Amino acid sequence: MIDKRLRALFDELISNEGYVSGRRSFPRTLTPDDAVAMAAELHKDLDGAADARARAAIRLHKPLACGPGCSGCCEEMVMVFRPEALRIARWLEQPANAAVKQRFLEAYPTWKAKVGDAPTTLATSFKSGDDPGYLAAFTAQWRKRILCAFNHDGMCTIYEVRPLVCRNAHAVGTSAHCVGDDPEDLPALRMASPELDAWMERARGALRAAHHAIGGPKQRPASVVEAVHDLLTAAT
Ligand code: SF4
């Protein structure tokens, strides 16, 4: 993270588990602008690390199987905290992205009819700390093969501002196991990267703490689709 002030905020946000969990108030002012800027910096940092991982995969003769049109991971229910949802909503509000926003708003009702209460179920499991329940609900949802409402013709329409979890998704060798109805029911193979996994843990903690610091509901993530839709339609 290049911006020194954001770097300091990031360090402070993850300095106390209470800020991450929302049990303790963050003692400094964090504005929504700060939260969005921090999300953008984290996205940039992760892109650099993910590129390095892709190059390492090639050197190991295990090239990534991901590419344009491959949308297996876009059938997972992506849950985010407010900074990332805000970043996407602001990007969609830019005049240059009006067509993307319009397409998303048109796709939303069909997506919502398909997923039903799944986002609420996942958010409730997360909030209660029910990890097995969360995983079971997440997997059951993924097996239904419902594409993210931001995906159009196999492409992410918000690629530039997509969440961390989307940027980190990858599979090596084959994408055959990235879908919920894989006949072999095998997990997708990933590049082992303990350092990057640890970084992700810290980054997600900072976004969670920032969510609380800007007034997001305690310990409650939201589906990226629903959260952005709510932000876009709140003022209308
Ligand atoms: S935000 Fe983009 S990359 Fe992430 S699941 Fe949706 S379409 Fe896929």
Side-chain angles (χ1 to χ4, degrees):
M1 194 178 291
I2 296 165
D3 187 303
K4 280 187 183 165
R5 195 179 66 87
L6 289 175
R7 172 84 241 177
L9 277 172
F10 174 89
D11 289 342
E12 206 169 333
L13 283 163
I14 57 169
S15 68
N16 190 305
E17 172 54 28
Y19 306 150
V20 177
S21 68
R23 280 192 291 272
R24 191 170 187 157
S25 296
F26 190 58
R28 303 211 303 130
T29 301
L30 187 89
T31 66
D33 285 352
D34 288 333
V36 170
M38 184 181 298
E41 287 282 323
L42 291 172
H43 291 164
K44 198 165 58 181
D45 287 355
L46 178 53
D47 286 351
D51 285 349
R53 177 174 59 197
R55 289 194 297 274
I58 291 170
R59 284 198 298 275
L60 293 169
H61 305 291
K62 292 181 183 171
L64 299 192
C66 316
C70 174
S71 314
C73 54
C74 298
E75 294 172 355
E76 297 181 6
M77 178 72 71
V78 173
M79 303 294 284
V80 298
F81 287 97
R82 197 166 282 181
E84 291 196 293
L86 264 178
R87 181 173 192 223
I88 297 166
R90 288 182 175 190
W91 185 85
L92 286 170
E93 293 290 19
Q94 293 171 15
N97 302 319
V100 180
K101 175 185 169 187
Q102 185 59 30
R103 187 184 286 149
F104 167 65
L105 292 176
E106 286 167 8
Y108 180 82
T110 304
W111 175 88
K112 180 61 187 160
K114 287 181 182 171
V115 302
D117 290 336
T120 306
T121 304
L122 283 167
T124 304
S125 293
F126 186 94
K127 183 175 168 64
S128 65
D130 175 14
D131 293 345
Y134 184 91
L135 185 61
F138 181 89
T139 305
Q141 181 60 28
W142 173 60
R143 293 205 185 285
K144 293 179 185 169
R145 302 213 55 184
I146 300 168
L147 197 56
C148 174
F150 287 116
N151 190 303
H152 184 74
D153 284 346
M155 307 290 278
C156 177
T157 57
I158 55 163
Y159 195 77
E160 186 181 329
V161 289
R162 70 199 188 286
L164 273 184
V165 66
C166 303
R167 290 166 194 265
N168 194 35
H170 68 282
V172 292
T174 174
S175 58
H177 309 307
C178 297
V179 289
D181 60 357
D182 166 29
E184 295 183 89
D185 203 15
L186 292 171
L189 285 179
R190 299 181 74 234
M191 271 288 285
S193 185
E195 257 180 50
L196 184 47
D197 289 347
W199 181 90
M200 274 294 285
E201 209 40 47
R202 289 196 300 279
R204 294 171 81 165
L207 291 172
R208 205 160 129 197
H211 163 93
H212 292 128
I214 60 172
K218 208 171 183 179
Q219 287 281 61
R220 202 168 174 88
S223 139
V224 65
V225 172
E226 240 173 34
V228 172
H229 179 266
D230 289 355
L231 286 166
L232 292 176
T233 56
T236 58

